[in-house]
C-alpha cells in the first residue's frame, strides 16, 4: 500500500488543509494507479524552524515535500501522471505554488511489504487479496468510514 509522508518547511498546515492534501493524495494515487483508495495512507510532519536548508543556506520559503513509497509495477506514464497530480493538487491544497512542492516516488516490490498481516499483492490483484480481511478488520474500516 502506498505510504506518503508529507513534510512541510516554513509552513503550518491547518487541519482542513491536511484533510484536503490527504484526499488529494488518495485520489491521485487511486486515479493514476488503479489501486483502491483505502490502500493509501498519509502521514504529516513539520520541519522545525531553522532546520531546512537549500544549497547549504537556511531556507525561509514555504515548501511541501511529498515522499511516496508505492508498489513496483506501474508504468512510467502512470508514475508521471501520479507525480504531476500530486504536485498540482498538494500545492493547491497547501496554498503554495507548484514550484515549492517537491515530489518523490519510490517503488518497492510487493513481496517486500506486509500490511494487514499479509504480503501485499501485485498491482491489479487487490480484490482477491482483500477477500482475506477478517470480519473484524472490515468492521474497523466501516466504523472509520473507509470504503473497502
Amino acid at each position: 500500500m502506498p505510504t506518503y509522508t508529507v513534510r512541510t518547511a516554513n509552513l503550518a498546515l491547518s487541519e482542513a488543509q491536511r484533510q484536503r492534501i490527504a484526499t488529494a493524495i488518495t485520489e491521485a494515487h487511486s486515479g493514476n494507479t488503479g489501486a483502491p483508495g483505502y490502500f493509501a495512507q498519509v502521514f504529516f510532519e513539520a520541519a522545525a524552524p531553522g532546520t531546512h536548508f537549500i544549497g547549504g543556506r537556511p531556507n525561509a520559503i514555504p515548501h511541501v515535500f511529498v515522499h511516496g513509497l508505492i508498489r513496483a509495477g506501474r508504468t512510467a506514464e502512470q508514475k508521471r501522471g501520479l507525480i504531476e497530480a500530486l504536485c498540482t493538487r498538494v500545492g493547491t491544497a497547501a496554498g503554495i505554488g507548484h514550484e515549492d512542492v517537491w515530489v518523490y516516488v519510490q517503488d518497492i516490490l510487493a513481496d517486500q511489504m506486509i500490511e494487514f498481516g499479509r504480503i501485499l499483492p501485485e498491482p491489479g490483484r487487490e480484490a482477491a487479496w482483500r477477500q482475506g480481511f477478517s470480519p473484524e478488520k472490515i468492521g474497523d474500516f466501516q466504523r472509520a468510514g473507509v470504503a473497502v
Side-chain angles (χ1 to χ4, degrees), residues 47-138:
T51 63
H52 180 224
F53 290 69
I54 295 179
R57 311 279 302 173
N59 176 55
I61 298 168
H63 277 82
V64 175
F65 300 87
V66 180
H67 182 214
L69 299 171
I70 68 171
R71 285 178 296 158
R74 290 350 191 290
T75 66
E77 182 178 283
Q78 286 174 309
K79 288 188 269 190
R80 183 182 182 102
L82 172 61
I83 63 174
E84 288 175 343
L86 290 171
C87 182
T88 300
R89 294 190 65 185
V90 168
T92 298
I96 64 174
H98 72 277
E99 290 182 313
D100 297 319
V101 178
W102 297 10
V103 180
Y104 308 92
V105 173
Q106 292 179 286
D107 289 334
I108 301 176
L109 297 173
D111 64 1
Q112 293 177 345
M113 294 180 274
I114 288 182
E115 295 184 8
F116 300 107
R118 295 177 293 136
I119 293 175
L120 290 178
E122 293 297 321
R125 297 188 176 157
E126 296 89 358
W129 182 83
R130 183 233 176 264
Q131 297 304 313
F133 283 177
S134 68
E136 294 80 18
K137 184 50 61 189
I138 291 172

